[in-house]
């Protein structure tokens, strides 16, 4: 499995921006699709964004479309989540996750991902 470590979370005012990073180690990074999920207190963990192994395809939850952008640098074994125009509703712990190539199922589904980071807290104040 891949080891994943998120960073970049913090406290930001509404309308501000943050860039999350997720560093991967332990396996060949380009053998994995990557995703970002988030979990607010008392809520289920929900899909945010995903990117295929080569960056050719990305997909976003409707709630973040047009504000968030996922990207990856396979040379640095890192996936990023650029978050703009943040609102208090974006407050959550953000997790990155990896899904091996060939894993059956949708990249929007948590069950496809077999490794998860420890999460990074994002808090947006109004």
């Amino acid at each position: 499995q891949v080891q994943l470590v998120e960073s970049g979370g913090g406290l930001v005012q509404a309308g501000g921006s943050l860039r999350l990073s997720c560093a991967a180690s332990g396996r060949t990074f380009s053998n994995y699709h990557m995703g970002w999920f988030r979990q607010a207190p008392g809520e289920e963990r929900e899909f945010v964004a995903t990117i295929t192994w080569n960056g050719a395809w990305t997909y976003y939850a409707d709630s973040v479309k047009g504000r968030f952008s996922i990207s990856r640098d396979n040379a640095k074994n890192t996936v990023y989540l650029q978050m703009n125009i943040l609102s208090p509703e974006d407050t959550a712990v953000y997790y990155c996750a990896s899904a091996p190539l060939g894993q059956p199922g949708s990249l929007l589904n948590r069950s496809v991902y077999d490794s998860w980071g420890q999460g990074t807290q994002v808090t947006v104040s109004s």
Side-chain angles (χ1 to χ4, degrees):
Q1 288 187 331
V2 179
Q3 286 76 52
L4 302 170
V5 179
E6 302 97 334
S7 61
L11 174 64
V12 64
Q13 288 188 331
S17 298
L18 282 174
R19 188 196 197 200
L20 305 184
S21 299
C22 172
S25 62
R27 291 288 187 272
T28 302
F29 185 59
S30 58
N31 286 346
Y32 293 84
H33 308 306
M34 298 298 295
W36 285 97
F37 291 75
R38 67 186 182 185
Q39 188 168 17
E43 303 288 334
E44 293 285 320
R45 191 170 300 189
E46 66 174 2
F47 168 79
V48 175
T50 187
I51 186 168
T52 50
W53 70 275
N54 59 356
W57 184 78
T58 59
Y59 193 82
Y60 299 90
D62 286 344
S63 58
V64 306
K65 202 170 293 184
R67 299 187 299 121
F68 290 14
S69 178
I70 188 171
S71 61
R72 66 188 294 160
D73 185 337
N74 286 351
K76 295 182 178 180
N77 294 345
T78 302
V79 62
Y80 305 97
L81 185 68
Q82 177 67 45
M83 307 186 296
N84 299 325
I85 319 176
L86 285 161
S87 72
E89 289 70 37
D90 297 314
T91 295
V93 177
Y94 283 70
Y95 299 89
C96 70
S98 62
L101 298 185
Q103 187 86 329
S106 168
L107 289 176
L108 281 63
N109 192 326
R110 283 183 299 174
S111 65
V112 171
Y113 298 85
D114 65 354
S115 292
W116 294 80
Q118 82 289 349
T120 186
Q121 176 71 47
V122 172
T123 303
V124 185
S125 63
S126 58

